[in-house]
Every structure is written in C-alpha cells, then in structure tokens.
Amino acid sequence: MVDLFFAFILGAVVGSFLNVCIYRIPAGLSVVSPGSRCPRCEAAIRWFQNVPILSWVLLRGRCARCRAPISVRYPLVEALTGGLFALVLWKFGLHGVTLVYWLMTAALIVITFIDLDHQIIPDVISLPGIVVGFACSFAVPWVSWTDSLLGILVGGGSLLLVAVVYEFITKKEGMGGGDIKLLAMIGAFLGWQAIFPVIFISSLVGTAVGIPVMIRQKADAKLALPFGPFLAFGALFYLLWGPELIRWYLRLFVPEGG
C-alpha cells in the first residue's frame, strides 16, 4: 500500500510536467525553459505554489498574483497520472517493466490532451515513442523484439489500410496520420497481439461516446472526434486488464472444447 501511495505521488509530480508539455508542445515552445509561469500575468510560479494537486486547492484555482483562474485540468492531469502510475505498479509490481509502462502512460496522457485540444498528435512524441517502445521490448519478458516490430507494422499498417480504403471510397480523408503513428507506437510497446483488442476497445468506447455527442450537438455522422484519446484508453485498458478481457471473450464466444 505504501508503494502505491508513493507511485501516486511520483505520478502526480510527473503529471505536473505533463501539463507543461500539453500546453507548450503544440505552441512550439520549450518544455524545459522558462520555468512555470502564469499565462496571463507571466508571474513565475514559485516551488511552493507548484505542489501537484495541493497548490491548486490551496490557491482555490487562481493565480497567486493576478487571481486569474487556473483550469481544473491541471490537478486532474496530475491526479490521473498519479492514479495510472499506481495502477501500473499494482499490476506489475516493483519490476523494470513498470518503468517502461510508466513512460508509455505519460506519453499517452500528453497525446490524449493535445489531441482533445488541437486535433493533432505531435510527431515529436509518437515517432520517438515508436523507437523507445521497440528498444524497451528487450527489457519486457513477454514482448519480444519481433513482437514489437510486428506491432509497429501491424499497428501502423492496419490503420493506414483503413485510411486508404476510406479515402478511396469517399474521396475524403478519414483517419489522420497521427492516429496511424500512435497505434504503431502502441504496438511497439505492447506487441502485435495487442493491436486488434486495442482497436476493438477504442472503437467501442468511441462509438459509445460519439453517438451521444452527435445527438446532443444535432450533428451527423461526419462529426469529427479525435480518435487518439480512444486509442490511448484502449492501450491502457489492454495493458491493465488485457488477459482478463481475452479470457472473458473466449468464455463468452468460444464454446468449451472449440
């Protein structure tokens, strides 16, 4: 339990940095310098005003100097990262693979919120992520380097095929290139075996979310929803509960002895 608590704290600290990445990467700014500052008055945020989650609560969601509101997303990203770090540790324990999947989790969180805000998946995360995921396969006992390489090819290739077929039929661009590279990155970390469960989960959740949104906005089927967040959700769900999901599916749809 103590380990999970410290994993949450570490994740919240990492989440604070991820907030910087989410804000600065789309703007083409450095994530290293300058230090954190209020986007309105540009006052530097001192270290004791930058304690994850707690500072936002104590400051009542406002800048200490100009009292401009600070989005609730900041503590939410910190809490989300902390919670996911704790879940990954709970799943894999004190093992080197935990560090690997913490890294993947952090990348997916940044991608999710950037895609929600800007409908883009930055290459500066997904492309290095493919390389890092492949390199990490040498440290993950159950994902061989061949599984990882196939995951890159199957992940990127499957969505590329869907995009080409969709564009051929409709004469319109459907699946974005960022989604293709993101699924290739997921395949690099999780192996080719994860690709189709991740696509299934993300499509199921995307449909469940997209239909109510279309109804609420009185939109048609052409409403553009970023797919990156659903792919990220599918990857994390598979990471944490993939074997259980597959066993459930086999019990439900495959007869015994079949």
Side-chain angles (χ1 to χ4, degrees):
M1 195 66 181
V2 174
D3 292 341
L4 296 181
F5 173 75
F6 281 108
F8 179 86
I9 297 300
L10 174 62
V13 172
V14 171
S16 182
F17 174 68
L18 299 186
N19 275 317
V20 175
C21 296
I22 292 166
Y23 177 78
R24 294 188 183 183
I25 287 176
L29 302 174
S30 170
V31 299
V32 178
S33 64
S36 297
R37 58 189 62 243
C38 173
R40 179 175 173 180
C41 69
E42 298 189 350
I45 298 176
R46 304 174 73 178
W47 70 267
F48 55 83
Q49 298 169 338
N50 205 23
V51 178
I53 304 172
L54 184 60
S55 288
W56 188 90
V57 173
L58 294 177
L59 291 170
R60 298 181 181 179
R62 293 187 175 275
C63 171
R65 179 179 176 182
C66 70
R67 307 305 296 166
I70 301 172
S71 173
V72 71
R73 174 182 290 184
Y74 286 89
L76 286 179
V77 168
E78 292 162 355
L80 174 65
T81 309
L84 287 173
F85 270 39
L87 279 172
V88 171
L89 181 64
W90 164 78
K91 177 73 174 183
F92 299 103
L94 295 172
H95 193 285
V97 298
T98 298
L99 297 175
V100 172
Y101 293 133
W102 278 350
L103 181 62
M104 185 189 81
T105 298
L108 291 175
I109 289 172
V110 174
I111 285 171
T112 291
F113 285 96
I114 289 179
D115 203 16
L116 285 172
D117 284 344
H118 304 280
Q119 286 73 55
I120 59 170
I121 297 176
D123 288 348
V124 71
I125 299 177
S126 59
L127 293 181
I130 293 172
V131 177
V132 172
F134 177 73
C136 287
S137 67
F138 294 94
V140 178
W142 50 85
V143 179
S144 68
W145 70 267
T146 53
D147 290 337
S148 178
L149 182 60
L150 284 172
I152 296 169
L153 297 175
V154 174
S158 59
L159 285 194
L160 178 61
L161 178 62
V162 170
V164 170
V165 171
Y166 179 88
E167 187 171 353
F168 176 78
I169 294 173
T170 65
K171 308 302 180 184
K172 297 179 181 179
E173 183 178 349
M175 189 69 63
D179 297 319
I180 294 169
K181 285 171 273 192
L182 171 57
L183 191 57
M185 185 191 88
I186 291 170
F189 275 100
L190 300 180
W192 67 268
Q193 300 91 336
I195 295 301
F196 294 107
V198 168
I199 292 175
F200 173 77
I201 295 167
S202 57
S203 300
L204 186 65
V205 176
T207 301
V209 172
I211 290 176
V213 169
M214 285 190 293
I215 293 174
R216 183 175 180 180
Q217 296 185 359
K218 298 180 180 180
D220 57 23
K222 297 178 182 178
L223 176 68
L225 285 176
F227 195 52
F230 300 114
L231 285 173
F233 177 86
L236 291 170
F237 191 94
Y238 180 87
L239 173 68
L240 296 169
W241 295 288
E244 292 81 357
L245 176 67
I246 293 172
R247 285 196 294 269
W248 170 82
Y249 177 85
L250 292 176
R251 286 197 303 268
L252 191 63
F253 294 104
V254 179
E256 293 187 9

